[in-house]
Amino acid sequence: MTTTIHARAALTPEGWREDVRITCAARVVGSIEVGAAPQPGDERCVVAVPGTPNLHSHAFQRAMAGRAQAAGATADSFWTWRVAMYDLALRMTPDDVEAVAARAYAEMLEAGYTRVGEFHYLHHDRDGRAYADIAELAARVCAASAQTGIGMTLLPVFYAHSDFGGAPPAPEQRRFVCDRDLFAALLEACRGLVRALEGGRLGVAPHSLRAVSADELAHLVGLAGEGPIHIHVAEQVREVEACLAATGARPVAWLLDNAPVDARWCLVHATHMDAQETERLARSGAVAGLCPVTEADLGDGVFPARAYRAAGGRFGIGTDSHVRITLPGELRQLEYAQRLTERARNVLAPPGGSTGRAVLDAAGAGGAAALDVRNGLAPGAPADVVALGGEATGRLAEDGFLDAWIFARGVAVDRVWARGRLVVRDGRHVARDVIDRRFAAAMRALAG
Ligand code: ZN
């Protein structure tokens, strides 16, 4: 099936162009015609931009969005939030996981994300025993991806310990834990799942330096081959202190010294880095997986974005805990945290350039690299197109339209095509009613 989209303005790898016809055939962009009149049968839109990859998701956590904003009896932190998250994780059935993931993925598409990196660590049954199909829950997130149309880069997680030094896992981590043999079986099953998904990709995710020993990390890097390797690192000060105590090194420095960190890698968060770590990570070619809304929600800290970008570092955006799934909101939070820290404005913009354009371009390129796909409105790339609509105060074909979307009002996602298939119309996922009914039933069951 061929779909042709006519945009009055489109953001191409060469910059803004006017009157652009984008032909999508066999799920990829076939041709881009510039200065072309719309033809009968064309889908017509105001402004077209490439879909953005969402490089870090734990889909099941969408079920607790908005439910952890009341203060506890003691000081709240990432660690008290984690107790509530474990409680939720221990109760979910496979049907719950699929229903919640479908809702999360529909919201991602509505936000302008067209691919998700699912950092998938909820593996086993509620008692901690492996399901008869070791990849039962991975199959459920893949089913949610197929139902919603979002592209899937599946990142099965290896999780073996509760802390540095190979501490045994805690009972409440029982649904996450694998040994090497079990993980090998899981990875093989995930390979089959991803093969069956249109445009599916597979990577490997050592959970964190807490959960994986040095030997296990080396083993996992071997399993990854040329595919993506994602790891949580340096999200919390307590984690930095524990790593220093256990290894004598800070987490990002330890990783750079002890693992072959290169362009295959995505270091999720990397919030707490000193100047040397920041520069070394930038030079490594790895992508920093930033999740600004979750990092703000959890009180993690602020990523040193100015120094990292100045050293040539790449980043992408993830929605992580899904407390709120928003693309402009993530990009705005990223920039605003820098402004608040530095007491400056337009921190991530190039001299004379637009902040919105700079962060959107960077998130597209970095996210695609981290999820092992191409990005951009160009022949051969996946036909992931986001149509933005709204009032334009200036010309359409200019960065001000993106700045209005990200920082102000009046611009919103209208339609989204994921690999050429229309999945969002008038800002709403085309299967939202069915998805919402299943989600509501799952949430009622989880509350009961
Ligand atoms: Zn995460």
Side-chain angles (χ1 to χ4, degrees):
M1 193 186 74
T2 300
T3 302
T4 302
I5 302 161
H6 182 277
R8 286 165 58 198
L11 185 58
T12 75
E14 292 76 38
W16 287 104
R17 295 291 182 268
E18 292 184 339
D19 286 314
V20 179
R21 289 185 82 227
I22 305 160
T23 303
C24 313
R27 307 296 185 194
V28 296
V29 174
S31 64
I32 302 268
E33 285 176 75
V34 175
Q39 302 293 315
D42 285 1
E43 296 264 8
R44 296 174 66 165
C45 68
V46 180
V47 169
V49 298
T52 298
N54 177 359
L55 57 60
H56 190 67
S57 160
H58 311 290
F60 78 90
Q61 292 180 12
R62 174 62 185 82
M64 67 182 283
R67 288 165 184 250
Q69 305 297 339
T74 55
D76 281 41
S77 68
F78 169 88
W79 307 100
T80 56
W81 171 87
R82 198 178 71 159
V83 171
M85 186 270 283
Y86 282 177
D87 179 59
L88 171 78
L90 287 173
R91 285 184 286 130
M92 292 180 84
T93 66
D95 285 346
D96 295 337
V97 169
E98 185 172 335
V100 170
R103 170 68 174 247
Y105 295 165
E107 290 178 354
M108 288 177 199
L109 288 159
E110 290 170 357
Y113 297 111
T114 45
R115 171 167 289 267
V116 62
E118 183 61 37
F119 196 103
H120 175 70
Y121 63 88
L122 191 59
H123 298 312
H124 308 312
D125 207 340
R126 287 178 283 187
D127 60 5
R129 269 183 286 200
Y131 287 104
D133 170 3
I134 176 75
E136 169 74 41
L137 295 182
R140 298 309 191 108
V141 294
C142 287
S145 140
Q147 185 191 359
T148 56
I150 200 164
M152 168 63 75
T153 297
L154 184 61
L155 303 159
V157 173
F158 182 91
Y159 199 118
H161 311 288
S162 63
D163 214 336
F164 290 93
E172 60 271 25
Q173 295 165 335
R174 61 186 178 270
R175 297 190 78 175
F176 319 151
V177 174
C178 286
D179 62 18
R180 293 185 194 201
D181 289 344
L182 202 54
F183 188 74
L186 175 68
L187 192 62
E188 197 47 41
C190 288
R191 202 179 303 283
L193 288 171
V194 161
R195 211 177 284 133
L197 277 180
E198 180 195 284
R201 294 280 190 281
L202 184 69
V204 168
H207 179 272
S208 58
L209 296 180
R210 291 192 306 275
V212 176
S213 71
D215 284 355
E216 288 158 351
L217 182 62
H219 174 70
L220 294 165
V221 170
L223 292 179
E226 291 305 305
I229 305 167
H230 288 223
I231 185 168
H232 289 128
V233 69
E235 179 179 7
Q236 284 286 317
V237 171
R238 188 168 116 184
E239 176 194 340
V240 176
E241 290 165 352
C243 187
L244 272 166
T247 70
R250 300 168 59 84
V252 172
W254 188 93
L255 206 50
L256 291 164
D257 287 339
N258 292 280
V261 175
D262 59 17
R264 292 170 301 165
W265 287 68
C266 176
L267 273 62
V268 180
H269 305 301
T271 308
H272 299 285
M273 296 192 287
D274 63 21
Q276 210 183 8
E277 287 175 297
T278 305
E279 177 148 0
R280 289 182 66 200
L281 180 62
R283 283 204 316 260
S284 74
V287 174
L290 308 182
C291 310
V293 170
T294 293
E295 289 155 6
D297 181 61
L298 296 178
D300 288 343
V302 177
F303 179 82
R306 189 201 286 271
Y308 180 74
R309 291 293 281 165
R314 303 194 292 174
F315 73 83
I317 292 292
T319 58
D320 196 3
S321 71
H322 313 308
V323 60
R324 182 159 179 188
I325 293 174
T326 160
L327 174 54
E330 295 284 356
L331 298 171
R332 188 168 62 242
Q333 178 66 36
L334 170 64
E335 167 69 20
Y336 276 0
Q338 304 299 316
R339 293 187 190 185
L340 289 165
T341 307
E342 301 206 6
R343 298 181 201 157
R345 299 196 70 249
N346 297 320
V347 175
L348 295 175
S354 139
T355 304
R357 171 72 182 280
V359 290
L360 185 72
D361 278 355
L371 299 186
D372 195 22
V373 287
R374 283 184 61 186
N375 185 247
L377 300 179
D384 293 337
V385 185
V386 174
L388 299 173
E391 320 148 355
T393 49
R395 283 176 57 222
L396 290 173
E398 60 182 21
D399 295 340
F401 199 81
L402 299 179
D403 288 329
W405 180 39
I406 295 166
F407 292 100
R409 309 192 56 141
V411 174
V413 172
D414 174 29
R415 271 166 294 165
V416 176
W417 291 265
R419 288 173 318 290
R421 182 176 140 205
L422 182 70
V423 289
V424 172
R425 186 188 294 120
D426 298 329
R428 192 175 158 82
H429 192 278
V430 293
R432 193 69 140 89
D433 292 346
V434 176
I435 289 166
D436 283 359
R437 272 199 298 279
R438 289 189 190 142
F439 177 73
M443 293 302 287
R444 276 195 300 275
L446 286 166

